[in-house]
Every structure is written in structure tokens, then in C-alpha cells.
Amino acid sequence: MITVPDGLAGYHAKFNGDAGRAWTAALPGLAARMLDHWRLRPTGPARHGMLALVLPVERADGSPAALKIRPRTPENAGEAPALRAWDGNGAVRLLAHDEDTGSLLLEALDPARSLNGVPDSHTACRLLTGLLGRLTAVPPPPGTRHLRDIAGAMVAEAPAALPRLTRDDDRRLLADCAAATRELLDEPGGALLHWDLHYENVLAPRPDADRGEPWLAIDPEPLVGDVGFDLLPALDNRFDPDEILPRFDLMTEALSLDRDRDRAKGWTLARVLQNGLWSIEDGDPTLPPDQTTIATTLMTHR
């Protein structure tokens, strides 16, 4: 029987209330069922993010793997189909998926080595961009959520959210982001996006793995849309105001988005809009400073 980490239980209680507490209460039993279902043996302490429990395990044949259990949400509903589509090319390999519970059995990676640990931020951004280019080149699986719907909902939500901000500058900036998003609604794009590709979501294979790839993406929240919508996580993770434009330029050039930089900027501002709306929904009266700095820098740069 596993012990639910306090941090994971706290996240679920904070963001999902009674439903979150009920899910974490049932988690030990669910984990036990999945261990038995796939004939797995735990080999170490559990890790977790905001929603998912990840348990290092050994399969019946002695090979290492990782059991990932998380509640189903609209954001992660397409994780298994996307991982199948990528088939281990630039992303963690999916070994098995339980449709009834949404549980995933994944190849074991090295949790101690992520792109966040690469000292030179330019190198880290270049490596992340290479992965992003590979992932977005794969045709999206049928049924994956579409940016068109999400962006339209954000634009519709913005007018009611703006008055909840206490600063005029924040209201103007978020309104500008909403306007930039509105202009792009008719051309939402068709690439398979990761949606959360930041430096901590790129891990190295285990040292004993014959993988042939130095870095692999994890934890996708798949979305079909314009590649420009996937740039922001590389800007606000390991945030440095002096690196906003150098990273943006590196990514747009490597991904051939520099031919229409205004479009790439627009979709990045759409991502700022999304983060701003989430912040307002959480009760924050001001926008996150890193988001305002990124938006202002991009809007004022020619």
C-alpha cells in the first residue's frame, strides 16, 4: 500500500476541493490495483507533480518502468494517444494504457536529469526547441482537443475577467492580449502541440538504457494548433527578462516561424492571456510579473 505524498494531497485539496480529497483517499487502492493488473513491483519512493503520482516500478520481466496515475481532465485526455503517435521519438515511450482508469505505464527515465539542470540557458533552449520541432511534425491523433475552441473561449471570457484586476496597466495589457488572440481565431493551426514543454518536462533516459536519444519530453497535455502557442513555456520557465528576445528569436528561427514573427508573437500573447485568466480565476488581483514582462517585451519589439 503506497502513501500519498503530502504535496500531492495538498494540490488536489487546493484545486479540486472535496473531489480532490476523495481522489487522493482512493489513490492507494487504485495504485494497488494497477500494480497487480500489470504485474509490477515498486522499486522506490513515489514522485508527483500537481496532479499525478509517478511510481518507479519493475515489470515482470525485470525491466524498469514508471506507473503514472492521475485523475482524468480535459487537458490530459489526449496524453496516451499523443504518446502513441510519437512512439518514443522525442518523448517518453508509452508501454501500456488502462482506458478505465486513465493510468499509464511508461518507460523509466532519469528524474534527476532534466533540461533545467543544463547550466547554459541558451543550450537548454536550443535542445528544447529541437524536441518541439520533432513533436509538432507528427500528425495529431483524431479527437485531440483543438486550439480553435480553447482560444475562442479565452477571448469570450476576457471581458468579464478584466474588471477583477486592480491595476489599469494589467487590464490594458490583458485586453491587448485578447485582441491579438481574436485576430488569429480564423487560423488556429493544425500541429500536434505538447502544451507544457518546459525545461523540467524534458528528462534524460536512464544511464543503463540503450535509448539513442539524450532527452525526452514528458507530461504532455496535447492540443492541435499553431506551433507559436507552444513557445511561452520556454520563456517563463527559467525566467530571465534579458533572455526573452534571444530565446524567442532562437525558437522562431529554428522552427521556421520567423517568416511570420507577428503570428508567433500573437500566439505567444494568447498564451499570456491564458495564464492571466487562470491567475484571475485563482483570485489574484494582478497579473504575474513574468507574464507582463514577456508580453510587454514582445509587443514593443519590432
Side-chain angles (χ1 to χ4, degrees), residues 208-256:
D208 57 352
D210 184 18
R211 193 61 169 83
E213 297 209 40
W215 299 104
L216 297 163
I218 64 168
D219 291 346
E221 297 180 355
L223 190 66
V224 177
D226 192 283
V227 177
F229 196 66
D230 250 3
L231 303 184
L232 184 67
L235 304 179
D236 62 11
N237 192 241
R238 293 181 68 159
F239 176 68
D240 183 338
D242 293 330
E243 293 193 6
I244 294 170
L245 292 179
R247 291 185 199 176
F248 184 80
D249 289 344
L250 183 157
M251 298 185 81
T252 53
E253 182 177 354
L255 297 167
S256 298

Side-chain angles (χ1 to χ4, degrees), residues 159-274:
L162 292 175
R164 296 165 61 184
L165 293 170
T166 56
R167 299 192 327 199
D168 291 342
D169 287 350
D170 282 350
R171 288 193 291 270
R172 282 192 293 267
L173 185 141
L174 206 64
D176 288 342
C177 291
T181 305
R182 188 181 299 107
E183 293 180 5
L184 297 171
L185 289 180
D186 291 337
E187 298 180 80
L192 175 57
L193 308 182
H194 181 288
W195 201 359
D196 197 25
L197 191 63
H198 56 74
Y199 305 101
E200 294 176 346
N201 270 351
V202 179
L203 298 182
R206 285 168 51 104
D208 57 352
D210 184 18
R211 193 61 169 83
E213 297 209 40
W215 299 104
L216 297 163
I218 64 168
D219 291 346
E221 297 180 355
L223 190 66
V224 177
D226 192 283
V227 177
F229 196 66
D230 250 3
L231 303 184
L232 184 67
L235 304 179
D236 62 11
N237 192 241
R238 293 181 68 159
F239 176 68
D240 183 338
D242 293 330
E243 293 193 6
I244 294 170
L245 292 179
R247 291 185 199 176
F248 184 80
D249 289 344
L250 183 157
M251 298 185 81
T252 53
E253 182 177 354
L255 297 167
S256 298
L257 304 179
D258 53 340
R259 301 164 193 168
D260 191 352
R261 284 174 59 89
D262 287 341
R263 183 181 182 85
K265 286 181 183 180
W267 281 119
T268 303
L269 295 177
R271 195 63 176 267
V272 173
L273 171 64
Q274 183 176 63

Side-chain angles (χ1 to χ4, degrees), residues 87-127:
D87 193 25
N89 296 313
V92 63
R93 180 170 283 118
L94 177 68
L95 304 177
H97 174 227
D98 184 69
E99 295 280 355
D100 291 337
T101 65
S103 302
L104 307 173
L105 186 63
L106 306 168
E107 72 170 303
L109 301 181
D110 186 347
R113 291 192 297 151
S114 76
L115 277 185
N116 200 44
V118 174
D120 181 68
S121 59
H122 181 87
T123 299
C125 186
R126 178 175 53 79
L127 291 168

